[in-house]
Amino acid sequence: MAGKSNANSGEPKWLNPREMAAWRSYIIASRRLLEAMELDLENHDLSMADYEVLAQLSDAPGRRLRMSELAEIAMISKSRLSHRMKVMEAAGWVRREECTEDKRGYFAVMTDKGWKAIVKAAPDHVNSVRNRLVDHLTSKDQEDLSKIFNRVTDKLRDQFIEEGASIKK
Amino acid sequence: MAGKSNANSGEPKWLNPREMAAWRSYIIASRRLLEAMELDLENHDLSMADYEVLAQLSDAPGRRLRMSELAEIAMISKSRLSHRMKVMEAAGWVRREECTEDKRGYFAVMTDKGWKAIVKAAPDHVNSVRNRLVDHLTSKDQEDLSKIFNRVTDKLRDQFIEEGASIKK
DNA sequence: GAGAAGTAATTCAACTTTCAACTAAATCGT
DNA sequence: ACGATTTAGTTGAAAGTTGAATTACTTCTC
């Protein structure tokens, strides 16, 4: 971990053909997949990010969540959530409620109209997940995929902690 | 394929736990992975998309490609490429050259400076691919991944052709 | 070879996302 | 209990992206 931050130490270790194939097929498929799924959701005037926000809200107790928590579990920035909430509020899908315990805070609350919107979109979205990905995988593939990508997420979390720590130090 | 375009026919077939786990672990990891890798590239003032554009250019004969072809293989829209080219041109990494055989067309040409920039960024990027993904996979995992995602891309292409055809009809 | 249709690339306008700055409230340390 | 710091959330400006419209050229068809 010496030297310039993130610099390559020594000669780089290039990818062998197997590694390269894995990386390329992953990166190409993931782009195309996302593209196709965004397109599928457009029929419901939703992006994947907005869908995720509404889905998380609809799962939450009382269909309400603090802004920060919602941003975190929907994996978008607080700023971005603020902006999207404004749009979704205008669409009548959500509203904001003050938090009495912490007067800095707000709850994002899903409206009936928002609930109807997500209930309408969900079957098509599940279909999209199937048609574009899941139905092309055997049970074994599905298990492999879970295992691999859970590991990736775990490692990223570890790295995030390490890097965060080294910045603090 | 009857009824409203893309509408759910009958009751939706929800994901079982195995399918849901595969989907969730994939979508979460892919978001985080992309995020981490974009961050890694920021040290070189590059986004993944810009890196891909430069990488494709650097691989091309004469380090030059027609705009349309570059957009296609870098998997971005022509419009987006035009905008990015303006930025990268200002940075001195690329320049545009008129195409004499087809006067509507232009070549994107990588400059020496651009070449130096990508040569400098490449080792770190490979490192990023390794640290964030490839090195956490066994050879078997890598092969599984290739197989699965090549299949996904193939199916997406088939679907794209079908859907394209049905719009034309 | 003239007009219709198609293609290459850019541009414009609308929209989205990011980043930094900001407000206001809570918490911490002494 | 007071100032300092942290946290919740929003905002505004800048940058990025998209899709439709536009321009300039090419190709096709008769």
Side-chain angles (χ1 to χ4, degrees):
Chain A
M1 273 295 150
K4 283 165 271 170
S5 76
N6 209 39
N8 60 96
S9 15
E11 74 282 28
K13 216 185 144 221
W14 301 108
L15 302 179
N16 69 35
R18 186 178 5 78
E19 291 165 338
M20 184 58 98
W23 166 244
R24 291 302 294 175
S25 66
Y26 165 72
I27 196 72
I28 290 167
S30 68
R31 271 187 184 291
R32 296 286 188 217
L33 182 55
L34 199 63
E35 188 176 50
M37 297 194 58
E38 294 279 6
L39 207 63
D40 291 341
L41 267 178
E42 262 178 34
N43 297 323
H44 295 279
D45 291 307
L46 283 168
S47 64
M48 291 275 276
D50 286 355
Y51 183 91
E52 187 67 21
V53 167
L54 292 181
Q56 291 291 351
L57 260 187
S58 71
D59 269 358
R63 289 177 205 151
R64 50 198 274 115
L65 281 171
R66 288 291 292 274
M67 293 295 285
S68 291
E69 198 187 347
L70 181 50
E72 177 136 9
I73 62 182
M75 296 195 290
I76 61 176
S77 71
K78 272 138 63 86
S79 166
R80 183 171 172 186
L81 179 59
S82 266
H83 288 299
R84 294 314 299 156
M85 280 290 290
K86 219 174 301 165
V87 174
M88 293 200 252
E89 206 164 16
W93 290 342
V94 294
R95 86 192 119 77
R96 262 175 279 217
E97 260 175 37
E98 292 183 12
C99 173
T100 47
E101 302 93 75
D102 184 338
K103 295 221 209 112
R104 293 167 304 181
Y106 286 87
F107 287 97
V109 189
M110 172 168 268
T111 62
D112 259 27
K113 193 172 171 189
W115 174 250
K116 276 172 198 147
I118 189 91
V119 163
K120 188 148 168 284
D124 281 352
H125 182 59
V126 174
N127 237 295
S128 178
V129 174
R130 286 200 172 284
N131 300 157
R132 307 303 195 180
L133 177 69
V134 170
D135 282 356
H136 311 133
L137 310 179
T138 65
S139 300
K140 176 65 167 41
D141 289 338
Q142 291 165 14
E143 276 155 19
D144 290 347
L145 211 62
S146 294
K147 212 174 37 122
I148 289 173
F149 283 112
N150 283 333
R151 190 157 68 234
V152 170
T153 299
D154 289 348
K155 297 287 184 183
L156 284 169
R157 199 175 10 70
D158 293 350
Q159 290 170 350
F160 180 73
I161 290 163
E162 276 171 44
E163 285 162 25
S166 69
I167 286 161
K168 290 271 164 190
K169 263 290 103 187
Chain B
M1 273 293 152
K4 282 165 274 171
S5 78
N6 210 38
N8 59 97
S9 15
E11 73 282 28
K13 214 183 147 228
W14 300 108
L15 303 179
N16 68 34
R18 188 181 0 80
E19 290 165 337
M20 183 58 98
W23 166 244
R24 291 302 293 177
S25 65
Y26 164 72
I27 196 72
I28 289 167
S30 67
R31 272 187 183 293
R32 296 287 187 215
L33 182 56
L34 198 63
E35 189 176 49
M37 296 193 59
E38 293 279 6
L39 208 62
D40 291 341
L41 268 178
E42 263 177 35
N43 297 323
H44 296 277
D45 292 307
L46 283 169
S47 64
M48 291 274 277
D50 286 354
Y51 182 91
E52 187 67 21
V53 167
L54 292 182
Q56 292 292 351
L57 261 187
S58 72
D59 269 357
R63 289 177 205 154
R64 50 199 275 118
L65 280 171
R66 288 290 293 273
M67 292 295 285
S68 292
E69 198 187 346
L70 181 51
E72 177 135 10
I73 62 182
M75 296 198 288
I76 62 177
S77 70
K78 271 138 65 87
S79 166
R80 186 172 171 185
L81 179 60
S82 268
H83 289 298
R84 294 314 300 157
M85 280 291 290
K86 217 175 303 165
V87 174
M88 293 200 255
E89 205 163 18
W93 291 341
V94 293
R95 85 191 120 78
R96 260 173 281 219
E97 259 175 37
E98 292 184 13
C99 174
T100 45
E101 301 93 73
D102 184 339
K103 295 221 210 116
R104 294 167 303 181
Y106 285 87
F107 286 99
V109 189
M110 173 168 268
T111 62
D112 259 25
K113 192 171 172 190
W115 174 251
K116 275 172 199 148
I118 189 91
V119 164
K120 187 147 170 283
D124 281 351
H125 182 59
V126 174
N127 238 297
S128 177
V129 173
R130 285 199 172 286
N131 299 156
R132 307 303 194 179
L133 178 68
V134 170
D135 282 355
H136 310 133
L137 309 179
T138 65
S139 300
K140 177 65 167 41
D141 288 339
Q142 291 165 13
E143 275 156 19
D144 289 347
L145 211 63
S146 293
K147 211 175 39 124
I148 288 174
F149 282 113
N150 283 333
R151 192 156 67 235
V152 170
T153 298
D154 289 348
K155 297 287 182 181
L156 284 170
R157 198 174 10 70
D158 294 350
Q159 290 169 352
F160 180 72
I161 290 162
E162 277 171 43
E163 284 162 24
S166 69
I167 285 159
K168 292 269 164 192
K169 264 289 105 185

